Amino acid sequence: TAYLANACPRASIETIDADAATCELARTIFKRMGLRTITVTHGTIPDTLTARNPPLHADLIFANSDRSGADLLATYEALLPFVHDQTILIFGDIRRSAQTFKAWKQIISRPEVRLSAEFRKFGLLSYAPGILTKQHKTLIRKRWKPWTALKGW
């Protein structure tokens, strides 16, 4: 979040976390860093965002999932009203568990998703109507990562 705020100092950035202690720590850190464009909200993404009326349209959304595939799907559904044709949606930890990866596969098969890219631990979605053919790309396959060969040694 801090990297995004520094890269785009005029952007309005919101971070949502279900853990109150994490939210308080984030507020303290952002204040010390002088990052005034970040709003920290305590709650889950589905509960927090579904209460908003009318929904804002976001250009970039980064959402982390917990261990549950059901949570990832609920988060995706809650984010849909905020998505427009040019939104980039990034999900972190898509391979955190078998359930989250299964949920990721369900999300990328949805008709509104025009482009999906998988970067091992996170995934990116685009809804751009100019992408006429639905595409899925898996980037940096494990066999091309020599640093993983020694994992566990």
Side-chain angles (χ1 to χ4, degrees):
T1 304
Y3 289 124
L4 289 172
N6 275 315
C8 300
R10 290 182 291 187
S12 176
I13 298 172
E14 180 174 14
T15 183
I16 301 169
D17 200 291
D19 182 63
T22 300
C23 288
E24 195 53 43
L25 179 62
R27 283 186 194 100
T28 301
I29 291 170
F30 297 151
K31 185 176 180 180
R32 285 183 186 165
M33 293 178 74
L35 300 173
R36 298 179 193 354
T37 60
I38 301 173
T39 303
V40 179
T41 304
H42 175 245
T44 66
I45 290 174
D47 291 343
T48 302
L49 296 184
T50 54
R52 300 220 173 133
N53 195 9
L56 303 171
H57 286 120
D59 296 326
L60 175 67
I61 301 170
F62 183 92
N64 234 1
S65 66
D66 72 7
R67 299 190 196 294
S68 135
D71 172 69
L72 184 60
L73 290 171
T75 298
Y76 180 75
E77 289 295 331
L79 291 171
L80 275 179
F82 299 86
V83 169
H84 60 83
D85 289 350
Q86 299 304 313
T87 298
I88 300 293
L89 176 56
I90 302 167
F91 275 109
D93 293 331
I94 60 171
R95 290 181 179 261
R96 188 172 198 160
S97 69
Q99 293 83 15
T100 56
F101 191 62
K102 182 179 177 185
W104 166 251
K105 292 292 192 183
Q106 290 175 351
I107 291 168
I108 65 174
S109 70
R110 302 267 309 241
E112 67 271 9
V113 175
R114 303 304 305 149
L115 172 68
S116 56
E118 192 179 312
F119 297 87
R120 187 80 184 132
K121 292 189 179 189
F122 71 93
L124 181 143
L125 305 173
S126 173
Y127 303 87
I131 301 171
L132 301 178
T133 305
K134 185 177 179 71
Q135 300 175 49
H136 175 70
K137 305 290 182 190
T138 301
L139 305 175
I140 310 177
R141 297 179 193 263
K142 187 172 183 176
R143 69 175 184 256
W144 297 336
K145 296 180 180 179
W147 57 88
T148 63
L150 301 176
K151 199 170 192 174
W153 278 33

